[in-house]
Every structure is written in structure tokens, then in C-alpha cells.
């Protein structure tokens, strides 16, 4: 990969990773509700789950969709259902001390698996592979995945820290409830934009 192409890839990765989307909104909400330490498994699942997803996408998993077009509808339906369920969970979250013992953020595997039903993640992976690894050679695909891993870690940490930063402002239950409902609404809105775009 040439330095110019790598620079363009880094800009693409930064622009897509740092903008609001399902992952970032969920990390911000988790940071606000659970704090940085408890959100770390969720954070790492996002930061490394997406780059891992880029590898099979780059190596041709999308050909399965071309061979069986209804798979796109299945993926879209699963994406909508899962994101609506996550939005409901965020909207009904409460402060850790008020919540029952079962309230907890996503773990590493849940966050990593979420990438496979995240419409923004699919758009990002397909765009990055098409633009920056058009020959689908393994070296270029690894460069794409590695760039997303480095910048994705910074992005995930930034959004989580942003959430923990507003945590003090949300000490009153009614403020936390309003924040959680707002994050849930934004999560649904982010899905709508990606699915109709």
C-alpha cells in the first residue's frame, strides 16, 4: 500500500469511526451508565470486532450475498430487530445502584458479534475494502483491518470517556432517564439513516 493510499485510508477510517453511529452511541450510553472500567469489555469488543469483521468481508464473504440475494433482507431484518432491542435496553437503563444485579454493559463477545448486524459496520467494511483493497489481496486487507483497529480503539475510548464525562451531570435519576431515552432515539435514528442511505 502506497503512503498516499494509506493516508486516504486513515482519513476514511477516522471519518467513519468518529462520527455518531450505533457503536459510538452505545459506548457513550454505557460510559454514562456504568463508567469506563465496566465498559472496557464492550469497548474492546467494538474496537477489535469490527477489524476482525473486515478480514472475511475482504476475503469474499459478501459473495454469499450475491449468490443468495434474500440474505440481504435477512441481514437487514436482523439488524433492525437487534438495534431496536438494544435501544429499548438503553432507554430502560437506570443508574447502577438503582438497577438490579442483572444490569450490565455488553461484554466483549456481544459487542464483537454486534458488528455483524450493524448496518454502519457493513457500509464501512464494504466501502473500505472496495476503495482501499480493490484487488482483495491479503496484505491490503490486513492494512485496512489494522488501520481500523488502531483508530477504532481511539474512537471507542473517546466516546466512552465522553459518556463518563457526562455521568456527573446525570446523577439525578430524571436526567439519566432523559439521557438514556435520547441515546436510544439517536441509536434508532442512526440505523434509519444507514438503512435508507
Amino acid at each position: 500500500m502506497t503512503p498516499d493510499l494509506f493516508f486516504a485510508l486513515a482519513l476514511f477510517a477516522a471519518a467513519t469511526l468518529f462520527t455518531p453511529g450505533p457503536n459510538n452511541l452505545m459506548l457513550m450510553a454505557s460510559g454514562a451508565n456504568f463508567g469506563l472500567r465496566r465498559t472496557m469489555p464492550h469497548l474492546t469488543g467494538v474496537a477489535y470486532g469490527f477489524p476482525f469483521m473486515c478480514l472475511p468481508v475482504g476475503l469474499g464473504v459478501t459473495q454469499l450475498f450475491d449468490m443468495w440475494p434474500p440474505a440481504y433482507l435477512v441481514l437487514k431484518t436482523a439488524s433492525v430487530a437487534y438495534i431496536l432491542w438494544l435501544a429499548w435496553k438503553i432507554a430502560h437503563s437506570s443508574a447502577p445502584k438503582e438497577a438490579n444485579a442483572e444490569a450490565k454493559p455488553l461484554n466483549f463477545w456481544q459487542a464483537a458479534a454486534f458488528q455483524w448486524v450493524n448496518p454502519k459496520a457493513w457500509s464501512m467494511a464494504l466501502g473500505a475494502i472496495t476503495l482501499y483493497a480493490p484487488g482483495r489481496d491479503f496484505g491490503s486487507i490486513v492494512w485496512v483491518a489494522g488501520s481500523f483497529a488502531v483508530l477504532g480503539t481511539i474512537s471507542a475510548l473517546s466516546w466512552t470517556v465522553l459518556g463518563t464525562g457526562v455521568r456527573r451531570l446525570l446523577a439525578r435519576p430524571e436526567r439519566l432517564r432523559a439521557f438514556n431515552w435520547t441515546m436510544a432515539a439517536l441509536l434508532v435514528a442512526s440505523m434509519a439513516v444507514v438503512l435508507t442511505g
Side-chain angles (χ1 to χ4, degrees):
M1 182 171 287
T2 66
D4 288 347
L5 190 60
F6 176 72
F7 182 69
L9 167 61
L11 288 178
F12 177 86
T16 55
L17 288 167
F18 283 88
T19 52
N23 280 321
N24 293 338
L25 294 172
M26 290 188 321
L27 285 168
M28 185 177 175
S30 185
N33 283 281
F34 301 105
L36 179 61
R37 186 182 62 77
R38 289 188 65 199
T39 302
M40 285 305 291
H42 181 173
L43 185 159
T44 55
V46 169
Y48 300 110
F50 177 72
F52 179 77
M53 176 188 167
C54 286
L55 295 173
V57 168
L59 294 172
V61 78
T62 54
Q63 291 174 359
L64 297 174
F65 291 99
D66 296 334
M67 291 188 312
W68 192 61
Y72 284 110
L73 180 60
V74 171
L75 176 64
K76 219 177 234 200
T77 304
S79 299
V80 169
Y82 193 65
I83 289 176
L84 289 174
W85 178 76
L86 288 170
W88 183 88
K89 277 189 70 164
I90 290 170
H92 292 89
S93 294
S94 55
K97 42 190 153 178
E98 296 172 20
N100 60 38
E102 293 177 14
K104 56 188 172 198
L106 293 181
N107 65 37
F108 175 88
W109 295 110
Q110 290 168 326
F114 172 67
Q115 305 319 301
W116 291 90
V117 294
N118 179 353
K120 184 180 178 185
W122 275 97
S123 298
M124 289 165 52
L126 292 171
I129 296 298
T130 302
L131 293 170
Y132 305 106
R136 304 290 171 99
D137 60 289
F138 189 70
S140 296
I141 294 166
V142 169
W143 272 105
V144 169
S147 300
F148 275 100
V150 171
L151 291 169
T153 301
I154 298 167
S155 170
L157 184 59
S158 299
W159 279 90
T160 305
V161 168
L162 181 61
T164 60
V166 298
R167 194 173 185 180
R168 278 186 231 124
L169 300 172
L170 305 174
R172 293 172 59 186
E174 61 275 8
R175 287 183 186 168
L176 181 62
R177 203 165 21 258
F179 173 82
N180 286 337
W181 276 93
T182 301
M183 290 295 102
L186 289 173
L187 180 59
V188 172
S190 74
M191 171 191 61
V193 169
V194 172
L195 288 175
T196 59

